[in-house]
Amino acid sequence: MQRYSGKSILLHWLVAILIIAAFALGTYMTDLKISPTKLKLYSWHKWVGVTVLALVAIRLLVRLFNTAPAYPNSMKTWEKQIANLAHITLYVLMFGVPLSGYLYSYAAGFPVVYLGLIELPALITPDPTMKDSFKELHEILTNVMLLLVILHIAAALKHHFIDRDNILKRMLPDFSNKE
Ligand code: HEM
């Protein structure tokens, strides 16, 4: 069986964990009353989101310069096309979600200080209209991403338990003893 490279597998699961963390923090923090805890969680949310953005950029480069393992022959052409489309859309959203949050933060006049140490570049100046638009965009893109992630997980489980092919296994580390 041909697996993804170790780099690709590590980046896939790291990004997956960080996206779930950013989603959980984002959903929880927005409902809190203003307090030092809320502000701290906003910072953590931004740091996790910016880390996702950086890792996804690396992930895309790794993906473009390495050939992904071929789909099993048991998959029909339309299934392969849908899978490719879903993966491309996920990449677009993995950039779009953190970028819209980043732009929202600057449009609202709040700088993003990564890990409390490095102030990241302001790509736009504060703007109340843009602020509302980016906030809405961030929310919409996050919800679309959530839906697609759920479909992505459902598809992986279908391949594993119903089709019984190697699609899920090739994105898991190989713990078998090669000696
Ligand atoms: C994968 C990355 C990210 C995910 C999954 C994510 C997810 C979320 C979610 C679920 C919310 C709550 C939306 C709502 O119901 O109102 C939220 C809010 C927010 N996000 Fe993100 N986010 C990400 C990255 C970022 C980044 C990189 C920034 C900024 C640098 C950011 C800034 C914000 C801010 C400021 C809010 C609060 C909006 C408000 O005040 O209502 N996010 N995010």
Side-chain angles (χ1 to χ4, degrees):
M1 179 185 62
Q2 214 197 340
R3 287 174 194 271
Y4 277 92
S5 69
K7 262 186 265 126
S8 299
I9 295 175
L10 179 68
L11 283 166
H12 175 276
W13 294 108
L14 200 56
V15 167
I17 291 167
L18 292 176
I19 286 178
I20 293 166
F23 185 82
L25 274 169
T27 309
Y28 177 69
M29 71 188 193
T30 37
D31 288 340
L32 296 176
K33 281 203 216 75
I34 189 77
S35 68
T37 305
K38 177 165 175 139
L39 297 181
K40 187 173 75 186
L41 294 182
Y42 265 61
S43 295
W44 289 2
H45 175 79
K46 293 179 190 183
W47 302 344
V48 174
V50 168
T51 310
V52 168
L53 190 58
L55 290 177
V56 170
I58 298 172
R59 217 182 137 183
L60 182 63
L61 289 177
V62 170
R63 178 70 180 75
L64 292 176
F65 288 102
N66 294 274
T67 326
Y71 289 122
N73 292 332
S74 53
M75 275 176 79
K76 297 181 188 73
T77 308
W78 67 265
E79 286 178 315
K80 294 178 191 172
Q81 284 167 343
I82 298 269
N84 282 336
L85 186 67
H87 297 157
I88 292 168
T89 314
L90 274 171
Y91 269 104
V92 171
L93 289 166
M94 286 189 294
F95 280 106
V97 167
L99 262 178
S100 57
Y102 189 96
L103 292 171
Y104 164 62
S105 202
Y106 275 103
F110 297 110
V112 181
V113 187
Y114 191 60
L115 304 177
L117 298 171
I118 310 159
E119 186 167 329
L120 300 179
L123 302 178
I124 48 169
T125 49
D127 180 329
T129 320
M130 294 299 271
K131 172 190 138 185
D132 292 341
S133 308
F134 281 125
K135 183 176 165 179
E136 207 170 316
L137 185 67
H138 191 52
E139 218 178 305
I140 294 169
L141 292 183
T142 306
N143 288 331
V144 177
M145 184 161 77
L146 178 66
L147 185 73
L148 209 57
V149 165
I150 291 171
L151 290 174
H152 180 68
I153 296 170
L157 295 177
K158 176 194 172 276
H159 277 284
H160 191 69
F161 290 108
I162 299 176
D163 303 337
R164 293 179 184 274
D165 57 26
N166 289 326
I167 289 281
L168 177 59
K169 278 197 207 132
R170 61 198 208 152
M171 196 40 110
L172 294 174
D174 184 6
F175 293 118
S176 63
N177 190 349
K178 290 198 187 107
E179 280 177 273

